Amino acid sequence: MPDSSVAYSVATGRQTVLDRMSHWLAEGQRAWLCTIVDTWGSSPRPVGSWLAIAESGHWSGSVSGGCLEEDLLRRTAEDGPDHPVFVDYGITDDDRDHFQLPCGGQIRLLIEPFRGQMGLDHVQALAAALCDREPVARRVPINGAATLEHSVSRAGNAVHFDGQQLLHTLQPECRLLLIGAGEVARYVFEFATAADFAVTLCEPREAFAAGWSFEGIPLDRRLPDDLISTEFGDAWSGILALAHDPRVDDMGLLAALHSRAFYVGAMGSRRTSEARRERLASLGLEEDALERLRAPIGVDIPSKTPAEIAVSIVADLIAARHHLRGAGSSL
Protein backbone atom coordinates (compact mmCIF):
# COMPACT_ATOMS: atom_id res chain seq x y z
CA MET A 1 0.00 0.00 0.00
CA PRO A 2 1.39 3.47 -0.86
CA ASP A 3 2.82 5.62 1.92
CA SER A 4 -0.02 7.86 3.10
CA SER A 5 2.34 10.82 3.49
CA VAL A 6 3.17 11.00 -0.21
CA ALA A 7 1.10 12.76 -2.89
CA TYR A 8 0.94 10.90 -6.17
CA SER A 9 0.43 12.56 -9.53
CA VAL A 10 1.49 12.15 -13.14
CA ALA A 11 3.69 14.74 -14.85
CA THR A 12 2.11 16.91 -17.49
CA GLY A 13 3.42 17.74 -20.96
CA ARG A 14 5.18 21.02 -20.12
CA GLN A 15 6.78 19.59 -17.00
CA THR A 16 8.05 16.64 -19.03
CA VAL A 17 9.60 18.98 -21.62
CA LEU A 18 11.46 20.90 -18.90
CA ASP A 19 12.57 17.70 -17.16
CA ARG A 20 13.96 16.29 -20.41
CA MET A 21 15.77 19.53 -21.23
CA SER A 22 17.32 19.59 -17.74
CA HIS A 23 18.53 16.02 -18.25
CA TRP A 24 20.09 16.77 -21.65
CA LEU A 25 21.79 19.94 -20.47
CA ALA A 26 23.12 18.25 -17.33
CA GLU A 27 24.69 15.63 -19.63
CA GLY A 28 26.52 18.41 -21.46
CA GLN A 29 24.35 18.30 -24.58
CA ARG A 30 23.10 21.34 -26.44
CA ALA A 31 19.32 21.69 -26.74
CA TRP A 32 16.83 23.82 -28.61
CA LEU A 33 13.39 24.94 -27.52
CA CYS A 34 10.89 25.57 -30.33
CA THR A 35 7.94 27.76 -29.33
CA ILE A 36 4.89 28.53 -31.47
CA VAL A 37 4.82 32.32 -31.59
CA ASP A 38 1.90 32.86 -33.96
CA THR A 39 -0.51 30.97 -36.20
CA TRP A 40 -2.75 31.97 -39.10
CA GLY A 41 -5.66 29.85 -40.29
CA SER A 42 -5.81 26.23 -39.14
CA SER A 43 -3.10 24.97 -36.82
CA PRO A 44 -2.80 21.62 -35.01
CA ARG A 45 -1.28 23.10 -31.82
CA PRO A 46 -1.95 26.41 -30.02
CA VAL A 47 0.35 29.38 -29.62
CA GLY A 48 2.88 28.80 -26.83
CA SER A 49 3.26 25.06 -27.49
CA TRP A 50 6.78 23.65 -27.09
CA LEU A 51 9.02 21.14 -28.83
CA ALA A 52 12.41 20.54 -27.20
CA ILE A 53 15.22 18.88 -29.18
CA ALA A 54 18.57 17.56 -27.95
CA GLU A 55 21.68 17.38 -30.14
CA SER A 56 21.47 13.60 -29.74
CA GLY A 57 18.20 13.71 -31.72
CA HIS A 58 15.95 13.01 -28.74
CA TRP A 59 12.90 15.24 -28.46
CA SER A 60 9.93 16.07 -26.20
CA GLY A 61 6.70 17.98 -26.79
CA SER A 62 4.89 18.89 -30.00
CA VAL A 63 4.27 21.87 -32.26
CA SER A 64 2.19 20.07 -34.89
CA GLY A 65 0.47 16.81 -35.62
CA GLY A 66 3.87 15.43 -36.64
CA CYS A 67 4.26 17.25 -39.96
CA LEU A 68 6.88 19.77 -38.72
CA GLU A 69 8.80 17.80 -36.12
CA GLU A 70 10.91 15.85 -38.64
CA ASP A 71 12.04 19.04 -40.38
CA LEU A 72 12.87 20.71 -37.06
CA LEU A 73 14.90 17.66 -35.99
CA ARG A 74 16.80 17.84 -39.29
CA ARG A 75 17.42 21.59 -38.95
CA THR A 76 18.89 21.29 -35.47
CA ALA A 77 20.95 18.19 -36.33
CA GLU A 78 22.48 19.83 -39.42
CA ASP A 79 22.91 23.41 -38.30
CA GLY A 80 21.41 24.11 -34.89
CA PRO A 81 21.27 27.89 -34.41
CA ASP A 82 23.41 29.46 -31.69
CA HIS A 83 21.02 32.40 -31.23
CA PRO A 84 17.20 32.74 -31.31
CA VAL A 85 15.81 32.52 -34.85
CA PHE A 86 12.31 32.55 -36.34
CA VAL A 87 11.09 29.93 -38.78
CA ASP A 88 7.85 30.15 -40.78
CA TYR A 89 5.94 27.17 -42.16
CA GLY A 90 3.00 27.13 -44.54
CA ILE A 91 3.81 30.47 -46.20
CA THR A 92 4.09 28.99 -49.71
CA ASP A 93 2.08 26.35 -51.56
CA ASP A 94 5.20 24.14 -51.55
CA ASP A 95 5.36 24.44 -47.76
CA ARG A 96 1.78 23.34 -47.37
CA ASP A 97 2.24 20.39 -49.72
CA HIS A 98 5.57 19.30 -48.25
CA PHE A 99 4.69 19.63 -44.58
CA GLN A 100 1.00 18.66 -44.95
CA LEU A 101 -0.19 21.67 -42.95
CA PRO A 102 -3.95 22.10 -42.63
CA CYS A 103 -5.43 24.00 -45.55
CA GLY A 104 -4.39 27.63 -45.35
CA GLY A 105 -2.55 27.18 -42.06
CA GLN A 106 0.65 29.06 -41.26
CA ILE A 107 2.88 28.74 -38.19
CA ARG A 108 5.73 30.91 -36.90
CA LEU A 109 8.19 29.30 -34.51
CA LEU A 110 11.01 30.64 -32.36
CA ILE A 111 13.97 28.24 -32.19
CA GLU A 112 16.00 29.06 -29.10
CA PRO A 113 19.36 27.47 -28.19
CA PHE A 114 20.34 26.27 -24.70
CA ARG A 115 23.74 25.08 -23.56
CA GLY A 116 25.96 24.85 -20.52
CA GLN A 117 25.27 25.87 -16.96
CA MET A 118 23.47 29.08 -17.94
CA GLY A 119 20.95 27.17 -20.01
CA LEU A 120 20.49 24.56 -17.28
CA ASP A 121 19.98 27.22 -14.60
CA HIS A 122 17.28 28.93 -16.68
CA VAL A 123 15.38 25.69 -17.36
CA GLN A 124 15.57 24.56 -13.74
CA ALA A 125 14.46 27.96 -12.41
CA LEU A 126 11.47 27.92 -14.78
CA ALA A 127 10.56 24.37 -13.76
CA ALA A 128 10.87 25.26 -10.07
CA ALA A 129 8.59 28.31 -10.38
CA LEU A 130 5.87 26.31 -12.11
CA CYS A 131 6.28 23.45 -9.65
CA ASP A 132 5.81 25.97 -6.83
CA ARG A 133 2.52 27.03 -8.48
CA GLU A 134 3.88 30.46 -9.43
CA PRO A 135 2.92 32.20 -12.69
CA VAL A 136 6.08 33.23 -14.51
CA ALA A 137 7.09 34.95 -17.74
CA ARG A 138 10.03 34.20 -20.03
CA ARG A 139 11.53 37.26 -21.74
CA VAL A 140 13.60 36.22 -24.76
CA PRO A 141 15.43 39.03 -26.60
CA ILE A 142 16.55 38.27 -30.16
CA ASN A 143 20.03 39.45 -29.19
CA GLY A 144 20.68 38.46 -25.60
CA ALA A 145 20.01 35.93 -22.87
CA ALA A 146 16.54 34.85 -21.79
CA THR A 147 15.37 35.94 -18.34
CA LEU A 148 12.49 35.06 -16.01
CA GLU A 149 10.00 37.46 -14.43
CA HIS A 150 8.34 36.17 -11.27
CA SER A 151 5.91 38.98 -10.41
CA VAL A 152 3.38 38.20 -13.12
CA SER A 153 -0.13 39.62 -12.99
CA ARG A 154 -1.13 38.86 -16.60
CA ALA A 155 -4.00 36.39 -16.75
CA GLY A 156 -3.71 33.23 -18.79
CA ASN A 157 -0.91 31.89 -20.95
CA ALA A 158 0.11 34.42 -23.57
CA VAL A 159 2.83 34.98 -26.16
CA HIS A 160 3.76 38.49 -27.30
CA PHE A 161 6.49 39.49 -29.75
CA ASP A 162 7.25 43.17 -30.38
CA GLY A 163 9.91 42.68 -33.02
CA GLN A 164 12.77 42.74 -30.53
CA GLN A 165 11.83 40.26 -27.83
CA LEU A 166 9.40 37.49 -27.01
CA LEU A 167 7.39 37.53 -23.78
CA HIS A 168 5.85 34.15 -22.95
CA THR A 169 3.64 34.17 -19.85
CA LEU A 170 3.00 30.76 -18.31
CA GLN A 171 0.60 29.60 -15.65
CA PRO A 172 1.18 26.53 -13.50
CA GLU A 173 -0.19 23.29 -14.87
CA CYS A 174 -3.72 22.35 -13.87
CA ARG A 175 -3.77 19.58 -11.28
CA LEU A 176 -6.72 17.42 -10.30
CA LEU A 177 -7.68 15.70 -7.07
CA LEU A 178 -10.03 12.76 -7.57
CA ILE A 179 -11.82 11.69 -4.37
CA GLY A 180 -12.83 8.04 -4.22
CA ALA A 181 -11.40 4.99 -5.99
CA GLY A 182 -13.70 3.28 -8.47
CA GLU A 183 -14.22 2.54 -12.14
CA VAL A 184 -15.15 6.14 -13.00
CA ALA A 185 -12.11 7.46 -11.15
CA ARG A 186 -9.90 4.96 -12.98
CA TYR A 187 -11.01 6.23 -16.39
CA VAL A 188 -10.97 9.89 -15.34
CA PHE A 189 -7.38 9.40 -14.16
CA GLU A 190 -6.35 7.85 -17.48
CA PHE A 191 -8.19 10.29 -19.76
CA ALA A 192 -7.26 13.40 -17.77
CA THR A 193 -3.60 12.35 -17.64
CA ALA A 194 -3.65 11.93 -21.43
CA ALA A 195 -5.09 15.46 -21.64
CA ASP A 196 -2.09 16.88 -19.70
CA PHE A 197 -3.65 17.27 -16.26
CA ALA A 198 -1.53 16.27 -13.26
CA VAL A 199 -3.80 13.84 -11.42
CA THR A 200 -3.90 12.50 -7.85
CA LEU A 201 -6.39 9.87 -6.70
CA CYS A 202 -7.34 10.09 -3.03
CA GLU A 203 -8.91 7.16 -1.19
CA PRO A 204 -8.96 7.24 2.64
CA ARG A 205 -11.38 4.30 3.00
CA GLU A 206 -9.56 1.10 3.93
CA ALA A 207 -11.94 -1.32 2.15
CA PHE A 208 -11.72 0.49 -1.18
CA ALA A 209 -7.96 0.98 -0.93
CA ALA A 210 -7.35 -2.68 -0.05
CA GLY A 211 -9.34 -3.82 -3.07
CA TRP A 212 -7.77 -1.40 -5.56
CA SER A 213 -6.16 -3.48 -8.33
CA PHE A 214 -4.75 -0.87 -10.73
CA GLU A 215 -1.05 -0.73 -9.84
CA GLY A 216 -0.36 1.96 -12.40
CA ILE A 217 -2.72 4.33 -10.56
CA PRO A 218 -1.42 4.77 -6.99
CA LEU A 219 -3.64 5.97 -4.17
CA ASP A 220 -3.02 8.78 -1.71
CA ARG A 221 -4.53 7.65 1.61
CA ARG A 222 -4.79 11.08 3.27
CA LEU A 223 -8.14 12.75 3.94
CA PRO A 224 -9.36 14.90 1.04
CA ASP A 225 -9.78 18.07 3.11
CA ASP A 226 -6.16 17.80 4.27
CA LEU A 227 -4.96 17.44 0.68
CA ILE A 228 -7.06 20.39 -0.48
CA SER A 229 -5.81 22.67 2.29
CA THR A 230 -2.16 21.86 1.59
CA GLU A 231 -1.90 21.09 -2.15
CA PHE A 232 -5.11 21.57 -4.12
CA GLY A 233 -6.52 24.91 -3.02
CA ASP A 234 -5.10 27.27 -5.64
CA ALA A 235 -6.72 28.67 -8.79
CA TRP A 236 -5.15 25.98 -11.01
CA SER A 237 -6.59 23.04 -9.09
CA GLY A 238 -9.71 20.98 -9.73
CA ILE A 239 -11.46 18.74 -7.20
CA LEU A 240 -13.82 15.94 -8.25
CA ALA A 241 -15.93 14.02 -5.70
CA LEU A 242 -16.36 10.55 -7.21
CA ALA A 243 -16.70 8.36 -4.10
CA HIS A 244 -20.54 8.32 -4.09
CA ASP A 245 -20.15 8.32 -0.31
CA PRO A 246 -21.24 11.45 1.63
CA ARG A 247 -18.79 10.66 4.42
CA VAL A 248 -15.90 11.22 2.01
CA ASP A 249 -17.36 13.42 -0.73
CA ASP A 250 -18.88 16.04 1.58
CA MET A 251 -15.66 16.39 3.55
CA GLY A 252 -13.78 17.18 0.35
CA LEU A 253 -16.48 19.40 -1.13
CA LEU A 254 -16.71 21.61 1.96
CA ALA A 255 -12.98 22.29 1.73
CA ALA A 256 -13.01 22.59 -2.07
CA LEU A 257 -15.86 25.11 -2.23
CA HIS A 258 -14.01 27.36 0.21
CA SER A 259 -10.83 27.14 -1.86
CA ARG A 260 -9.78 28.98 -5.05
CA ALA A 261 -10.07 25.81 -7.17
CA PHE A 262 -11.14 26.53 -10.74
CA TYR A 263 -13.32 23.40 -10.89
CA VAL A 264 -15.33 21.64 -8.16
CA GLY A 265 -17.63 18.83 -9.26
CA ALA A 266 -19.47 15.85 -7.84
CA MET A 267 -20.80 12.69 -9.47
CA GLY A 268 -24.42 11.70 -9.05
CA SER A 269 -27.93 12.03 -10.46
CA ARG A 270 -29.89 15.27 -10.34
CA ARG A 271 -31.80 14.00 -7.32
CA THR A 272 -28.57 13.01 -5.57
CA SER A 273 -27.06 16.39 -6.43
CA GLU A 274 -29.99 18.30 -4.95
CA ALA A 275 -29.81 16.22 -1.78
CA ARG A 276 -26.09 16.96 -1.62
CA ARG A 277 -26.66 20.70 -1.95
CA GLU A 278 -29.22 20.61 0.86
CA ARG A 279 -26.84 18.61 3.02
CA LEU A 280 -23.92 21.00 2.40
CA ALA A 281 -26.15 24.00 3.11
CA SER A 282 -27.21 22.43 6.41
CA LEU A 283 -23.52 22.17 7.29
CA GLY A 284 -23.19 25.94 6.94
CA LEU A 285 -21.99 26.30 3.34
CA GLU A 286 -22.96 29.69 1.93
CA GLU A 287 -25.16 30.03 -1.17
CA ASP A 288 -22.47 31.71 -3.27
CA ALA A 289 -20.08 28.86 -2.50
CA LEU A 290 -22.75 26.27 -3.37
CA GLU A 291 -23.25 27.93 -6.75
CA ARG A 292 -19.71 26.93 -7.69
CA LEU A 293 -20.54 23.22 -7.42
CA ARG A 294 -20.86 21.41 -10.75
CA ALA A 295 -23.32 18.63 -10.09
CA PRO A 296 -24.25 16.47 -11.85
CA ILE A 297 -20.68 16.56 -13.10
CA GLY A 298 -19.69 16.46 -16.78
CA VAL A 299 -21.25 17.43 -20.09
CA ASP A 300 -24.58 15.90 -21.09
CA ILE A 301 -23.74 13.42 -23.87
CA PRO A 302 -25.66 11.45 -22.17
CA SER A 303 -23.38 8.89 -20.53
CA LYS A 304 -24.07 5.58 -18.80
CA THR A 305 -20.92 3.43 -18.56
CA PRO A 306 -17.94 4.38 -16.36
CA ALA A 307 -15.82 5.18 -19.43
CA GLU A 308 -18.58 7.33 -20.96
CA ILE A 309 -19.07 9.21 -17.68
CA ALA A 310 -15.32 9.80 -17.52
CA VAL A 311 -15.30 11.15 -21.09
CA SER A 312 -18.06 13.62 -20.19
CA ILE A 313 -16.19 14.72 -17.06
CA VAL A 314 -12.84 15.23 -18.79
CA ALA A 315 -14.51 17.10 -21.65
CA ASP A 316 -15.99 19.52 -19.13
CA LEU A 317 -12.61 19.86 -17.40
CA ILE A 318 -10.91 20.70 -20.70
CA ALA A 319 -13.53 23.37 -21.44
CA ALA A 320 -13.07 24.86 -17.96
CA ARG A 321 -9.29 24.87 -18.39
CA HIS A 322 -9.54 26.73 -21.70
CA HIS A 323 -11.80 29.29 -20.03
CA LEU A 324 -9.31 29.65 -17.17
CA ARG A 325 -6.35 30.20 -19.46
CA GLY A 326 -7.98 31.93 -22.39
CA ALA A 327 -9.28 30.26 -25.56
CA GLY A 328 -6.55 29.01 -27.83
CA SER A 329 -3.80 29.25 -25.24
CA SER A 330 -1.12 26.63 -24.73
CA LEU A 331 -1.91 23.92 -22.20
Side-chain angles (χ1 to χ4, degrees):
M1 190 61 59
D3 184 342
S4 63
S5 66
V6 179
Y8 295 92
S9 64
V10 174
T12 57
R14 185 183 293 142
Q15 180 182 334
T16 299
V17 169
L18 294 172
D19 288 347
R20 298 271 174 84
M21 287 188 69
S22 292
H23 177 72
W24 300 330
L25 291 164
E27 288 183 331
Q29 294 193 60
R30 292 181 300 162
W32 293 267
L33 182 64
C34 307
T35 303
I36 297 181
V37 175
D38 211 343
T39 64
W40 300 268
S42 300
S43 79
R45 292 287 286 152
V47 167
S49 296
W50 282 344
L51 169 69
I53 302 172
E55 64 177 313
S56 62
H58 291 94
W59 56 273
S60 180
S62 174
V63 291
S64 77
C67 49
L68 304 184
E69 277 75 3
E70 184 176 3
D71 185 68
L72 288 164
L73 286 164
R74 178 189 59 78
R75 283 175 181 265
T76 53
E78 293 178 356
D79 187 24
D82 57 9
H83 61 277
V85 297
F86 287 96
V87 177
D88 292 326
Y89 288 97
I91 302 301
T92 67
D93 290 339
D94 286 343
D95 273 352
R96 286 189 286 274
D97 292 340
H98 181 70
F99 298 113
Q100 302 177 5
L101 290 172
C103 181
Q106 301 173 20
I107 296 176
R108 173 165 293 167
L109 295 171
L110 174 67
I111 303 179
E112 183 186 351
F114 288 78
R115 67 184 306 165
Q117 190 63 46
M118 182 178 295
L120 178 60
D121 288 346
H122 181 86
V123 171
Q124 289 182 336
L126 175 58
L130 294 175
C131 186
D132 289 341
R133 316 297 287 165
E134 176 191 355
V136 66
R138 299 188 64 240
R139 190 174 295 275
V140 187
I142 297 306
N143 298 305
T147 58
L148 297 180
E149 297 180 2
H150 294 272
S151 298
V152 176
S153 58
R154 188 190 306 274
N157 294 323
V159 175
H160 298 278
F161 179 65
D162 63 7
Q164 298 298 319
Q165 62 182 354
L166 179 79
L167 184 65
H168 187 184
T169 305
L170 301 112
Q171 288 184 355
E173 299 288 356
C174 290
R175 59 169 55 155
L176 302 177
L177 178 65
L178 312 184
I179 301 171
E183 282 291 289
V184 172
R186 166 202 167 189
Y187 286 112
V188 170
F189 189 103
E190 293 175 350
F191 299 161
T193 298
D196 276 347
F197 289 92
V199 189
T200 295
L201 177 53
C202 162
E203 180 50 84
R205 299 170 297 180
E206 181 60 36
F208 282 86
W212 185 247
S213 59
F214 300 100
E215 295 182 359
I217 306 178
L219 303 180
D220 192 304
R221 298 298 312 284
R222 287 175 287 178
L223 295 173
D225 52 333
D226 289 340
L227 279 167
I228 292 165
S229 66
T230 58
E231 299 174 35
F232 292 88
D234 63 36
W236 301 281
S237 295
I239 296 100
L240 286 67
L242 306 176
H244 241 310
D245 182 344
R247 298 172 303 168
V248 179
D249 285 341
D250 289 3
M251 182 190 310
L253 290 172
L254 282 170
L257 291 168
H258 281 120
S259 76
R260 299 171 59 213
F262 79 96
Y263 190 103
V264 180
M267 184 172 65
S269 66
R270 286 183 172 81
R271 179 178 297 178
T272 299
S273 299
E274 286 306 312
R276 177 184 291 111
R277 285 187 170 89
E278 292 175 4
R279 196 166 57 246
L280 292 173
S282 71
L283 294 172
L285 194 66
E286 303 84 356
E287 184 62 30
D288 58 345
L290 266 175
E291 290 178 356
R292 297 182 56 217
L293 177 62
R294 297 170 184 253
I297 199 172
V299 298
D300 186 7
I301 36 182
S303 51
K304 295 294 184 183
T305 68
E308 290 174 344
I309 294 168
V311 166
S312 76
I313 291 171
V314 175
D316 200 33
L317 282 163
I318 291 170
R321 181 173 62 181
H322 275 291
H323 179 73
L324 171 70
R325 294 188 163 179
S329 65
S330 169
L331 303 183

